[in-house]
Amino acid sequence: MLMYNKQKKSQSQSQAGKNRLLISITVIGSAGPIRFVVNAEEVVATVMDTALKSYAKEGRLPVLGSNVNEFVLYCPIAGTEALSPVEAIGSFGVRNFMLCKKPQPVEDVGDGKPVTVGITRKNSGSWKSWFNKLLNLKVSTH
């Protein structure tokens, strides 16, 4: 009887471990993937929220924010379509994902140049781009 209880307990523990997944989410522009354990039944939106919180907690760059509605989760193996935020993460059969910002809407201005709406930038870029601009101003073309 004691042996039966031990077997039953080990089987229930192994079954509980089957519905948990170690997933890896790569954020575009970041140094490396974020890895954490999730339940296979968790929805994509919850996983994205957890990934954004982990990303911010680790102090990674670039700073992304925490609004899940501004991001989409892709499965590189499944294709180019973004995953539905209400589907279970375990239903895709993969463990590697990619987190990207949603594309910004583009408006056409009267002069024919497209302008991206909603993106503002406080500085003009990195020191390398600033240095290149400085060199381009001093070099004259004849």
Side-chain angles (χ1 to χ4, degrees), residues 25-36:
I25 297 180
T26 302
V27 178
I28 300 298
S30 182
I34 300 168
R35 292 182 181 97
F36 53 93

Side-chain angles (χ1 to χ4, degrees), residues 6-77:
K6 285 184 181 180
Q7 287 177 347
K8 188 174 178 181
K9 186 176 181 180
S10 66
Q11 286 176 352
S12 65
Q13 287 175 347
S14 66
Q15 289 174 353
K18 286 184 181 180
N19 61 356
R20 295 181 58 92
L21 303 171
L22 174 65
I23 63 169
S24 176
I25 297 180
T26 302
V27 178
I28 300 298
S30 182
I34 300 168
R35 292 182 181 97
F36 53 93
V37 177
V38 296
N39 287 328
E41 295 85 25
E42 281 191 52
V43 294
V44 171
T46 306
V47 172
M48 288 172 37
D49 185 46
T50 304
L52 289 171
K53 287 178 181 175
S54 296
Y55 186 89
K57 185 177 179 182
E58 292 176 12
R60 293 184 179 221
L61 294 175
V63 177
L64 298 177
S66 60
N67 188 358
V68 176
N69 297 325
E70 294 178 359
F71 295 92
V72 289
L73 194 66
Y74 290 99
C75 175
I77 297 171

